[in-house]
Every structure is written in structure tokens, then in C-alpha cells.
Amino acid sequence: MRLTAEHICLALSPRAARFYQQADSTNEIALEWLREDALTGSVVVADEQLKGRGRKGRTWHTPPGVALAVSVILHPLPETLNRVSMLGALAICELVENLGISNVGIKWPNDVQINGRKVSGVLPENEWDGDKLVGVVLGMGLNVRVDFAGSELENTAINVESALGKPVDRLELLVKLLAGVDKWNALLDSVALYDAWKNRLTTIGQTVTVNSADAIVQGVAEGVDEQGALLVRDKEGVLHRVIAGDIALG
Ligand code: BTN
């Protein structure tokens, strides 16, 4: 079904929702809304993004009619900020798995993969007023039927419909995704959320190369800590704590 403002506002009622057929970035719009005092759970959805934001300043591709581009406004306590991306990845994992798709996992820190191929990316962006946390925008992009054939992502990305072998309704997916976000948001500071995220990480036990802001670390990913940092032991036996970065296997 085509996404329209009418369908979305009706399906998501009483949640505050803004829908755009075309937007630069739902995160950008949601950050503006957050500054204007949007309530927790308010959501921005776009059918197409022209400048979708990805991690580390990259662009996230959202062609029209074939994806979900969603940004949810949340107001976590500052000490639970690092849980927000876990929440997003978990909500997406459960959404995809509940469709009947198997081999769904999280590549650290929050790429959701099916059979080792990326189906979704999560980008939280925080808004501060001095040292006071105003809130967070949790951006989630899901490839529903994005066609990667012939693109540089052909072998590393996947979409939900090809994994499932049948069409899915994006509006139904959106409703279920937001229910998952609400569920995990209520459990943001819980051990349950941390454990659920940790148990879905496919990276643990693998030999990895991590490209972080200050170093390249190669070794075995031994685990994570409660802040979400990856613990990598190099071949000299030194344990590195990586807070953010890109990982490649091997
Ligand atoms: C990643 O690089 O893996 C994160 C991608 C996050 C993309 C989503 S799409 C909806 C929201 N709006 C954006 O501009 N980015 C996020």
C-alpha cells in the first residue's frame, strides 16, 4: 500500500505523527520537532529521503515506495543514552523475525542483518541544551523492497521481501515497529534490554578488525559491556574497549 499522511495518522493515532512523501532526512525534521517540545513517541516518517543520514557521516539510501524511514522522539535519562541504539536494533530484529524470517542478528553496534547482510540501520541523534539532555531522535531505516542489484551494496545488503519471499505491507510494519520501540523504551534501563541486545550480537567470538576514531584494532571480539562497548583482545593479549567504530570480519 502507498504510504500517505492520512493512512499513517489514522494507523498511529493517538501518537503524534508527521509524514512526508519526500524529505531530506526524517532525523533532521524530528530534531527540529524535538526542540519545539515534541512528546515522547512522536514520529516522523518519509516515503523517500534525499539526504538520509547514516552513521559516521555517511548517506542512507531511501528510494521512494520501497523502504521505511522512521525517526522516533524519545526522552531517556542521560545515563541510558547508550541504550537507545540497542533499543532500535532490537525492535527491528523482532519485527523482522516475527514475519517468519530466520538468521536475524545484530552486527555490533546496531546493524540488523539477515544471513549476514544488512537490512536495517539505526542512527540515534541527541539534542542537548548546554549540559541538559533535551531528548533523542531514534532514526531507523529498513530495506523493505529496496533493489540493490548492480549496486555496490549488492553482496552486503538485503531487503525484507526477498528474505521472506513475499510482499509485506509497509504500514503494518510501521505500526508493529513502533509498538516494539514503545515496549523496549519502557525497559530502557533494564537488564532485559541489555541481555536481549547482547544475545543477538553475531560479532562475539569472531575475529574482527575495528576501525574506530583513534585506532585500528584487530583481534577476537570477546564480549560487550553494559555501555555497549565492544571488548576486543588483540594477539598480544591486550583487551581493547571500543566505544564506537566500524567492524569487518577477519
Ligand atoms: C546506518 O548508517 O546504519 C544508520 C542509518 C540510519 C538511517 C535512518 S532512515 C531514518 C532516519 N533518518 C535519517 O536521516 N537517518 C535515519
Side-chain angles (χ1 to χ4, degrees), residues 103-191:
N103 292 329
V104 182
I106 301 173
K107 178 184 169 196
W108 183 88
N110 54 36
D111 284 355
V112 180
Q113 298 185 323
I114 300 172
N115 291 324
R117 291 174 175 218
K118 183 161 172 171
V119 70
S120 171
V122 174
L123 180 69
E125 293 194 70
N126 310 332
E127 180 68 18
W128 293 87
D129 180 7
D131 60 0
K132 183 177 172 288
L133 179 67
V134 178
V136 180
V137 163
L138 170 60
M140 294 165 288
L142 179 66
N143 303 324
V144 179
R145 65 185 83 97
V146 180
D147 183 5
F148 295 101
S151 83
E152 56 176 353
L153 299 176
E154 181 163 14
N155 297 316
T156 55
I158 193 168
N159 69 56
V160 170
E161 289 191 352
S162 62
L164 190 62
K166 63 178 184 191
V168 291
D169 184 316
R170 283 183 301 150
L171 187 58
E172 273 177 33
L173 282 184
L174 175 64
V175 171
K176 288 179 182 160
L177 173 61
L178 294 175
V181 169
D182 288 349
K183 176 185 101 174
W184 286 113
N185 187 42
L187 296 168
L188 202 55
D189 61 354
S190 67
V191 177

